[in-house]
Amino acid sequence: MDVLNLAHGSFYMIGAYTAYSVVLATHSFWLALLIAPLLLALVGGLLELVFFRRLYRHGHLAQVLLTFGFTLVFVDLIRSGYGPTTRSIAPPPSLGGAVHFLGATFSSYSLFVLGVAVVVGALLLAAWRRLRVGAVLRAGVADKEMAGLLGIDLARVFTLTFAFGAGLAGLAGVIAAPEFAIFPAMDASVLILALVVVVLGGLGSIEGAIVGAAVIGLGYVIGTTLFPQVALVLIFGLMAAVLVVRPTGLFGRR
Amino acid sequence: MADQLERYLKSKLSDGVDRRDFLKLGLTATGMAAVAACGGNPTSGSSGSSGPTGPEFKVGAVLPESGVYAELGKSITNGMQMYFDSVANQAGNRKITMVSADEQTALASAVAATKKVVEQDSVDMVAGYVSSPNAAGNRDYLDGQKMPTLIANAGVNSLSRAAKSPFIYRTSFSNWQPSHPMGTYVAEKLGKKKIQLVYAKYGAGLESVAAFKETFTAAGGTIVGPDVATPFPNNGDQTPFVQAINTGEIDGIYCFMSGTDAVSFLKKAAELGTLKKVDLVSGSGFFVEQDVLAAITDAAPLGALTGLHWALTLDTKENQDFVSKYSKKFAGRQADVFAVQGFDTARVIVDALNAVKGKTDDKLNFMKAISHVAFQSPRGDFKFDPNTNNVVQTIYIRKVVHNSKLGWTNQVIDHYPGVADPGK
């Protein structure tokens, strides 16, 4: 879609806060897992219809300006609604414990997060490569005019894709809520890492995003644990090194 | 109310008061009626003849209104407002007004906020500073301006030591204070001699565990390495840090973390069952203060022992009064340690202003009055240490409990009175 959306972190944050509200009201994490992505897809779809679609023509800088504005608006909305206090929700009872294997202890919920990530990643990759909708999207990104001439309703495809992306960010927010704390700056904490992942993996490539996430995720955790002083240098250095060798990222084509 | 006044005036008249006295009474009555008309809030009608006649006394409150520390700033502001309101916003025949400026998070904005209140609003004194770098970073400017200043939170030790200033006093704590008695308590009273240190690696974390280590090792305890030092703030996974706790070889941990870091750390520790495998979870009080406990609820480390200069449950008349009035005044919001610090900061200002009868032109004389302020605070005995310009206070040893009325909270089980920072 070629949109640079800095408000994606906000969708993640709103997802986490929605999960907090739903869990507070219904005590059901699974319900939150259903409601938050739907809500965010709705929000994302509306924002695309009203704002973002006007900017496709104007290039990335205009998109950065608008979406950065939205991050400020969203964080203030969250703060005025929930206050700046740190919130948190517990993992669902069935995943609240720890499991032992290979002589190590793992939190069940962390394994669940890992499982969801693998499943979502695999589904996205399969849809992108094998399904018609994937082909349409690839065509739309590669050459808007040509795809339009072939009879694809690009406006609708873009709205739906944007909504889907926002819904995924909402899902990530729900999944992250029991693992981390919920607080008004959580959007920024994930956005920077996400940008690094995307740039490292290569813009417009799902394979790149998956590999980039694995490299940066492991790099960041190993870095903060073993060499805390240089953890951030490590991942940004890694990104710089990859960009020197492959300016388009690991899997980028352009 | 008006009827009662009329009757009272008539009775005074029939007692044979002269004309001048009657006028005075009349004026007072007008003032009181104005107050009554304003809904009985004595602060909103204080411009009557009974009000102060001296020049306005402006306090520049440099506190975070946005960013990660906004909540702390709000509590401190509330605490200050509550005390100022209780004395009808006046002292030493001067009306007190608060001028606020947003400290935010980074030093650049805190410097701008300080300059704004000092140069643009021409305040008579400055109070505030939640974060230590911001307090330390403004120190030279405030000292150079000879601006009377009260630090209402920032705990960096140096402000009571190498960087202390005759114009800067601290009403909150030094990082050394809550942790120093804990070393003695853990080693001597609990007899736990093998402790691993867990902390967020930044100024407050390092200074806190250093203070603990000082008394703990002096009392025969051994610090079991390696320390678990988490990045600050830690936005990533806490699992590797929780698992770095060497449960097999230690009696317990001593921890400094606060806010969001404490929340994510304690949750992960509860999931992995790590803290149940050690006899003792101890730390600085911020690790399990009310904000953290409210967020993690049932993941709270039951029985954890921490040191702090206050506890919600502290059973003194001053504290229970404060806690209930605070919650009534601010729509059910629960009092916290930051609100107490704000409340005491305002009280220091008021008592000092009264002591100098509102005359603050002689800054050193005003600072001297501040240094002599002593009172019963919600946190207990409050006075300043002439060697450090820092508050001398009781450190309470508190235990995490689940209370049927308050939910998860800290119960006071022991205390160390008169803890003073060792600066000279």
Side-chain angles (χ1 to χ4, degrees):
Chain A
M1 279 171 67
D2 212 20
V3 178
L4 188 53
N5 176 19
L6 294 184
H8 213 57
S10 307
F11 295 155
Y12 164 83
M13 173 177 67
I14 298 171
Y17 273 97
T18 309
Y20 172 76
S21 287
V22 172
V23 168
L24 207 65
T26 66
H27 299 286
S28 168
F29 173 76
W30 305 110
L31 202 60
L33 201 58
L34 186 72
I35 292 176
L38 290 178
L39 179 79
L40 265 300
L42 192 71
V43 171
L46 282 176
L47 286 179
E48 202 275 345
L49 278 176
V50 181
F51 296 100
F52 297 140
R53 68 169 33 188
R54 294 168 204 278
L55 287 185
Y56 294 144
R57 293 180 283 123
H58 295 293
H60 287 153
L61 270 183
Q63 296 165 2
V64 166
L65 203 59
L66 178 74
T67 54
F68 182 68
F70 272 113
T71 64
L72 300 179
V73 171
F74 282 130
V75 81
D76 274 347
L77 281 179
I78 287 288
R79 190 176 282 125
S80 60
Y82 290 88
T85 331
T86 305
R87 315 271 173 175
S88 117
I89 58 176
S94 49
L95 296 169
V99 289
H100 308 268
F101 64 91
L102 301 174
T105 309
F106 299 88
S107 122
S108 324
Y109 191 78
S110 297
L111 293 177
F112 168 75
V113 175
L114 197 65
V116 173
V118 168
V119 170
V120 170
L123 286 179
L124 278 180
L125 196 57
W128 177 255
R129 281 192 180 162
R130 308 252 174 252
L131 294 187
R132 196 186 134 76
V133 62
V136 166
L137 273 175
R138 276 179 286 152
V141 172
D143 191 335
K144 281 184 190 129
E145 276 183 22
M146 195 58 177
L149 288 174
L150 290 173
I152 297 170
D153 182 356
L154 275 182
R156 205 175 59 121
V157 169
F158 275 28
T159 307
L160 289 177
T161 311
F162 200 88
F164 182 72
L168 276 184
L171 179 78
V174 182
I175 300 279
E179 184 76 3
F180 305 120
I182 308 170
F183 57 105
M186 66 187 290
D187 57 340
S189 70
V190 74
L191 187 72
I192 304 289
L193 287 179
L195 277 178
V196 175
V197 164
V198 171
V199 171
L200 182 86
L203 298 176
S205 158
I206 291 188
E207 297 92 327
I210 291 173
V211 173
V215 171
I216 293 299
L218 281 175
Y220 187 60
V221 170
I222 292 173
T224 50
T225 314
L226 299 183
F227 328 98
Q229 292 85 351
V230 295
L232 281 176
V233 178
L234 194 73
I235 60 169
F236 284 106
L238 202 63
M239 181 178 81
V242 168
L243 289 183
V244 167
V245 181
R246 284 187 62 97
T248 53
L250 289 174
F251 290 79
R253 271 177 292 269
R254 278 170 300 151
Chain B
M1 177 145 180
D3 284 357
Q4 283 169 350
L5 277 173
E6 205 174 326
R7 271 207 300 280
Y8 173 72
L9 288 174
K10 274 181 185 156
S11 74
K12 278 285 172 197
L13 270 181
S14 59
D15 284 349
V17 283
D18 68 24
R19 192 178 138 80
R20 208 190 292 142
D21 279 339
F22 175 72
L23 266 179
K24 257 193 227 158
L25 279 168
L27 284 171
T28 317
T30 322
M32 284 170 77
V35 168
C38 293
N41 182 350
T43 61
S44 44
S46 54
S47 55
S49 66
S50 61
T53 52
E56 192 178 39
F57 185 82
K58 285 208 241 177
V59 180
V62 180
L63 288 162
E65 292 159 24
S66 59
V68 284
Y69 297 125
E71 190 78 344
L72 279 61
K74 181 117 187 94
S75 289
I76 295 174
T77 310
N78 284 350
M80 288 178 75
Q81 194 59 59
M82 184 168 156
Y83 191 77
F84 284 143
D85 282 353
S86 78
V87 295
N89 292 287
Q90 53 178 292
N93 196 28
R94 296 179 72 169
K95 180 177 184 331
I96 301 171
T97 45
M98 277 217 273
V99 184
S100 59
D102 191 354
E103 178 188 339
Q104 299 181 32
T105 315
L107 177 57
S109 38
V111 167
T114 307
K115 290 201 165 151
K116 185 221 158 221
V117 293
V118 172
E119 292 165 20
Q120 214 169 309
D121 301 323
S122 329
V123 294
D124 297 282
M125 76 178 294
V126 171
Y129 303 108
V130 160
S131 102
S132 286
N134 292 351
N138 279 300
R139 182 259 173 215
D140 286 352
Y141 175 74
L142 293 163
D143 181 66
Q145 295 277 328
K146 301 194 188 334
M147 176 56 63
T149 302
L150 293 177
I151 306 283
N153 187 65
V156 60
N157 288 341
S158 66
L159 286 173
S160 301
R161 304 179 188 181
K164 78 174 177 191
S165 150
F167 297 99
I168 303 176
Y169 277 64
R170 179 156 52 194
T171 56
S172 48
F173 59 91
S174 75
N175 286 329
W176 182 92
Q177 281 179 309
S179 287
H180 194 256
M182 282 300 292
T184 317
Y185 186 81
V186 168
E188 284 176 5
K189 290 218 175 153
L190 301 177
K192 306 287 186 203
K193 303 285 190 188
K194 284 188 290 180
I195 294 290
Q196 191 174 15
L197 300 175
V198 180
Y199 51 93
K201 197 168 180 186
Y202 72 113
L206 291 163
E207 290 189 345
S208 296
V209 296
F212 171 83
K213 196 170 165 180
E214 199 181 310
T215 42
F216 179 69
T217 49
T222 311
I223 299 290
V224 179
D227 292 355
V228 180
T230 71
F232 171 80
N234 186 6
N235 295 323
D237 191 1
Q238 295 277 21
T239 307
F241 302 107
V242 173
Q243 292 189 330
I245 296 175
N246 201 342
T247 51
E249 290 182 23
I250 55 173
D251 294 330
I253 60 164
Y254 186 81
C255 184
F256 180 95
M257 275 185 211
S258 62
T260 303
D261 287 343
V263 168
S264 58
F265 187 87
L266 283 168
K267 270 170 60 179
K268 198 40 89 183
E271 276 174 47
L272 295 167
T274 311
L275 297 184
K276 291 209 174 68
K277 289 185 211 142
V278 294
D279 285 347
L280 172 73
V281 176
S282 65
S284 152
F286 296 108
F287 184 41
V288 288
E289 238 330 89
Q290 296 298 141
D291 58 325
V292 175
L293 292 178
I296 60 175
T297 59
D298 290 347
L302 183 67
L305 298 176
T306 60
L308 197 66
H309 49 288
W310 181 76
L312 180 67
T313 56
L314 186 62
D315 198 13
T316 61
K317 187 183 158 294
E318 287 83 10
N319 188 48
Q320 291 310 315
D321 239 36
F322 172 77
V323 167
S324 71
K325 280 186 186 150
Y326 185 87
S327 147
K328 224 173 274 166
K329 190 173 174 82
F330 299 106
R333 191 182 157 105
Q334 198 176 52
D336 54 29
V337 67
F338 310 106
V340 177
Q341 290 164 193
F343 188 74
D344 290 350
T345 302
R347 168 130 195 204
V348 170
I349 297 171
V350 166
D351 284 7
L353 267 181
N354 281 331
V356 297
K357 301 199 167 59
K359 293 192 181 63
T360 55
D361 290 338
D362 182 349
K363 302 262 178 73
L364 280 172
N365 192 46
F366 183 51
M367 292 317 294
K368 201 170 134 201
I370 285 180
S371 74
H372 287 143
V373 172
F375 55 92
Q376 280 295 310
S377 148
R379 64 177 113 165
D381 288 329
F382 182 110
K383 65 173 183 181
F384 286 112
D385 178 352
N387 291 324
T388 60
N389 301 352
N390 188 46
V391 54
V392 179
Q393 56 194 337
T394 305
I395 297 300
Y396 299 94
I397 312 292
R398 310 110 35 92
K399 183 182 198 170
V400 172
V401 294
H402 190 269
N403 170 318
S404 58
K405 205 173 97 217
L406 293 165
W408 288 99
T409 188
N410 288 290
Q411 189 188 333
V412 176
I413 56 167
D414 207 340
H415 68 284
Y416 287 78
V419 176
D421 191 273
K424 282 184 186 70

